[in-house]
Amino acid sequence: MRNIVLTGFMGTGKTEVGRELARLLAMKLIDIDTEIVKSAKMSINQIFERFGEEKFREIETEMIEKVSREKNVLISTGGGAVLKQVNMDALKRTGTVICLMAMPETILQRTSGNSERPLLKVGNPLEKINELLCFRQPFYEKADMMINTDNKTPLQIAEEIIAKIRNAQF
Ligand code: S3P
């Protein structure tokens, strides 16, 4: 079986859906941000603060390249992983890329309790979410499948993904 890759904006449910999928399909889940934190021995916030976003993107690309070489795994990426074509190419080489989507208001609600998102630490996070979503939309559309997550539980989303993968010719 090909790898399954979950991508999509912050707060679209990649982590929770990834856990459900891993359980239902008995697949190993590899979260790119978690791997980066383990290998850098620093939080994502600390990497952004000390080295800046550009350096974080370099580390992210190295980790995606490494993890994409694995087989039969479920990979969850950070929300900005789609921005570099080299990342998308590596992920698609071995996997089916699924992009989770949500309304800006849903994203705000899901991300507001968590301070581990350096890009949303601004005065008006909803405005920032709208701005980033608008810029990133064409990048997210490069995924093999897009799944809306508004008003759905992680289990419902995971079941929808499994049904779509089984019906598709990947
Ligand atoms: C980012 C998303 C984050 C993390 C970093 C940058 C982004 O991951 O990689 O803060 O650019 O959208 P999550 O999507 O898991 O929050």
Side-chain angles (χ1 to χ4, degrees), residues 88-153:
M88 199 54 118
D89 289 344
L91 293 165
K92 280 197 176 185
R93 214 179 299 133
T94 49
T96 300
V97 178
I98 296 158
C99 180
L100 302 185
M101 295 175 305
M103 298 287 289
E105 292 74 18
T106 308
I107 291 171
L108 179 69
Q109 194 192 355
R110 290 184 187 156
T111 54
S112 57
N114 185 329
S115 59
E116 260 303 314
R117 289 191 168 103
L119 294 176
L120 300 183
K121 282 193 190 170
V122 291
N124 187 340
L126 186 58
E127 195 177 78
K128 187 72 184 174
I129 289 167
N130 274 308
E131 182 195 308
L132 287 172
L133 269 181
C134 184
F135 177 78
R136 291 179 178 185
Q137 188 62 22
F139 296 92
Y140 289 129
E141 282 172 7
K142 292 179 185 174
D144 297 307
M145 284 179 202
M146 312 274 284
I147 308 262
N148 184 42
T149 66
D150 290 296
N151 304 313
K152 293 177 192 164
T153 65

Side-chain angles (χ1 to χ4, degrees), residues 10 14 33 44 48 56-57 60 78-80 117-119 136:
M10 294 170 266
K14 301 180 294 286
D33 279 353
I44 301 291
F48 267 72
F56 171 77
R57 297 296 172 202
E60 184 178 47
R117 289 191 168 103
L119 294 176
R136 291 179 178 185

Side-chain angles (χ1 to χ4, degrees), residues 3 61-73 75 90-91 93-94:
N3 292 341
T61 295
E62 280 167 28
M63 192 55 78
I64 287 173
E65 177 55 41
K66 181 175 165 213
V67 172
S68 297
R69 281 188 237 123
E70 301 234 6
K71 304 244 164 67
N72 294 309
V73 290
I75 302 170
L91 293 165
R93 214 179 299 133
T94 49

